[in-house]
């Protein structure tokens, strides 16, 4: 026996997964999660009986609804569905999947399109933060074709600009949840940061690495992955997250100096495997750490323009992500200094149809 529900499969940035309106799914979280696990085919290493692709980057779900907040148009709940475990994590945000939220909301009639571009004000339920999403809508319709190119995705597409407005300390209550810009965990200097994503940043050099290694090289380094997980769990405790052994937060990230001022090498873990490119939210967090004095990523060579905007390049295994960080004028280097962060992603609708699930 099977039952059906509507489903839209979309690529958002360098991730992919089904998009659902919240009223298509059960209201009760446990029942909802059962549906999501079955929809993705989890737990199974290949997710052969569902929509998942056997990797964390292709085992993601976006749930969208009309927002009751006066300053937002839609609510976006992100769900990371485990590939090999019967587990759904709704604590993190995903900026790549976020790129598909604006187009999805417009096409579902949740937001009215305007000529040229449409602003979709998104409230991220996971992190209690707002992101303004600019979608290309020539003639009042969503455009997926365009000239924007992002590393990690073949071809070009219409640009989707994501403006993160208040994602600073949104999960833990502070940009630096331990109260310090640096800590030492198991002999390694780290920065625990909550800026669009909750992460623990570490210098690649402290693990005998260059920071330019491929994802496959890092994934095959069993000793490295064991060390990162141990540090990640301790960082989770220090950040007030408790036992994070069954959570994807915080994300461990290895960083190294880039090729020029304003660029930084980043290897972002999901957390068990190295991202083949980079999380969009993670790129914002890494870029923010680069401009905040005292962090393991701080680059003293950086210079902002007259409007206090830093333009940075986060280098990853598939290329780079350009990020703008705006700091408030006349403040110090703490959380109060971050005003806005933005980047360009792209999205594509893959199919719009009916999903069949087992009863």
């Amino acid at each position: 026996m099977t039952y059906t529900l509507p489903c839209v499969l979309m690529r958002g940035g360098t991730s992919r997964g089904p998009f659902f309106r919240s009223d298509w799914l059960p209201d009760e979280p446990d029942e909802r999660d059962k549906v999501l696990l079955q929809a993705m085919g989890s737990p199974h290493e290949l997710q052969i009986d569902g929509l998942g692709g056997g990797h964390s980057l292709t085992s993601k779900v976006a749930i969208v609804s009309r927002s009751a907040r006066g300053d937002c148009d839609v609510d976006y709940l992100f769900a990371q569905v485990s590939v090999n475990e019967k587990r759904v994590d709704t604590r993190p945000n995903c900026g790549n999947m976020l790129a598909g939220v604006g187009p999805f909301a417009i096409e579902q009639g949740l937001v009215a399109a305007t000529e040229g571009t449409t602003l979709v004000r998104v409230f991220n339920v996971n992190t209690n933060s707002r992101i303004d999403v600019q979608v290309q809508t020539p003639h009042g319709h969503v455009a997926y074709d365009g000239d924007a190119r992002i590393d990690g995705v073949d071809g070009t597409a219409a640009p989707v600009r994501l403006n993160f407005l208040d994602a600073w300390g949104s999960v833990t209550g502070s940009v630096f949840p331990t109260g310090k810009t640096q800590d030492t965990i198991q002999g390694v200097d780290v920065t625990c940061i909550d800026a669009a994503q909750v992460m623990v940043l570490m210098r690649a050099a402290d693990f005998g690495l260059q920071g330019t290694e491929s994802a496959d090289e890092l994934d095959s380094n069993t000793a490295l992955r064991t060390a990162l997980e141990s540090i990640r769990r301790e960082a989770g405790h220090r950040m007030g997250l408790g036992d994070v052994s069954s959570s994807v937060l915080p994300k461990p990230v290895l960083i190294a100096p880039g090729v020029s001022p304003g660029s930084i090498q980043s290897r972002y873990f999901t957390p068990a495997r190295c991202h083949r490119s980079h999380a969009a939210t993670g790129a914002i967090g890494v870029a923010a750490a680069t401009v905040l004095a005292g962090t393991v990523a701080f680059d003293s060579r950086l210079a902002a323009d007259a409007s206090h905007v830093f333009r940075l390049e986060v280098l990853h295994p598939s290329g780079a992500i350009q990020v703008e960080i705006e700091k408030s004028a006349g403040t110090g280097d703490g959380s109060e200094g971050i005003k806005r962060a933005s980047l360009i992603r792209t999205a594509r609708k893959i199919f719009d149809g009916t999903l069949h699930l087992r009863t």
Side-chain angles (χ1 to χ4, degrees):
M1 296 288 291
T2 63
Y3 70 98
T4 62
L5 70 158
C7 176
V8 179
L9 186 68
M10 299 188 72
R11 175 186 62 78
T14 54
S15 296
R16 189 198 72 205
F19 281 61
F20 300 102
R21 287 180 53 151
S22 62
D23 55 5
W24 297 347
L25 297 168
D27 292 331
E28 203 281 317
D30 286 345
E31 292 302 312
R32 178 203 65 206
D33 290 352
K34 289 178 183 177
V35 170
L36 299 184
L37 285 162
Q38 191 179 142
M40 302 309 290
S42 295
H44 188 281
E45 63 179 4
L46 298 178
Q47 295 178 312
I48 200 69
D49 205 30
L51 296 173
H55 194 284
S56 61
L57 302 185
T58 53
S59 191
K60 300 184 174 192
V61 175
I63 303 170
V64 183
S65 59
R66 199 182 305 275
S67 183
R69 296 169 57 97
D71 62 344
C72 290
D73 300 308
V74 295
D75 291 346
Y76 158 51
L77 177 68
F78 167 70
Q80 180 72 61
V81 180
S82 175
V83 174
N84 292 308
E85 299 177 35
K86 192 176 289 187
R87 176 168 50 86
V88 177
D89 195 347
T90 57
R91 288 212 280 185
N93 185 11
C94 178
N96 276 305
M97 290 287 279
L98 173 63
V101 170
F104 176 82
I106 294 168
E107 293 189 332
Q108 288 297 317
L110 300 175
V111 177
T114 57
E115 174 59 36
T117 62
T118 299
L119 176 66
V120 181
R121 302 170 302 168
V122 178
F123 177 70
N124 179 236
V125 178
N126 310 72
T127 59
N128 195 40
S129 61
R130 175 178 158 183
I131 307 99
D132 282 354
V133 180
Q134 292 178 330
V135 182
Q136 302 299 304
T137 51
H139 311 298
H141 298 283
V142 173
Y144 291 103
D145 294 334
D147 297 327
R149 183 184 300 276
I150 63 172
D151 291 332
V153 178
D154 291 339
T156 62
V160 178
R161 179 169 287 279
L162 310 178
N163 287 291
F164 290 75
L165 305 178
D166 58 358
W168 325 118
S170 58
V171 174
T172 63
S174 174
V175 168
F176 298 114
T178 68
K180 296 182 287 185
T181 56
Q182 277 195 47
D183 293 270
T184 301
I185 298 178
Q186 299 173 15
V188 178
D189 292 334
V190 308
T191 289
C192 298
I193 190 167
D194 177 1
Q197 187 62 276
V198 183
M199 302 179 292
V200 52
L201 308 181
M202 296 159 275
R203 298 185 183 96
D206 289 342
F207 296 88
L209 302 170
Q210 297 296 314
T212 57
E213 288 80 5
S214 70
D216 286 339
E217 286 179 272
L218 297 174
D219 282 350
S220 65
N221 189 333
T222 304
L224 171 68
R225 291 170 59 189
T226 299
L228 293 183
E229 178 61 15
S230 180
I231 292 171
R232 187 186 80 87
R233 293 189 184 192
E234 174 60 26
H237 280 290
R238 297 195 190 188
M239 298 168 86
L241 299 173
D243 180 3
V244 299
S245 58
S246 61
S247 174
V248 298
L249 297 181
K251 307 282 191 174
V253 183
L254 295 175
I255 54 98
V259 295
S260 61
S263 70
I264 183 169
Q265 294 282 355
S266 180
R267 297 297 183 265
Y268 178 96
F269 289 75
T270 64
R273 299 168 68 179
C274 182
H275 202 299
R276 265 44 193 168
S277 55
H278 207 287
T281 49
I284 287 174
V286 170
T290 305
V291 306
L292 297 176
T295 73
V296 296
F298 178 62
D299 189 344
S300 61
R301 304 170 297 170
L302 291 175
D305 63 17
S307 59
H308 307 283
V309 172
F310 295 82
R311 292 177 174 83
L312 304 122
E313 187 174 51
V314 178
L315 308 175
H316 56 73
S318 297
I321 299 177
Q322 284 71 40
V323 181
E324 284 188 358
I325 298 286
E326 181 180 358
K327 291 177 67 178
S328 302
T331 63
D333 294 304
S335 62
E336 74 282 359
I338 305 173
K339 184 176 181 181
R340 176 189 61 86
S342 68
L343 48 70
I344 295 289
R345 298 277 83 189
T346 64
R348 189 175 81 84
K349 182 166 64 175
I350 298 171
F351 81 68
D352 183 342
T354 302
L355 179 63
H356 293 252
L357 301 176
R358 297 189 307 274
T359 57

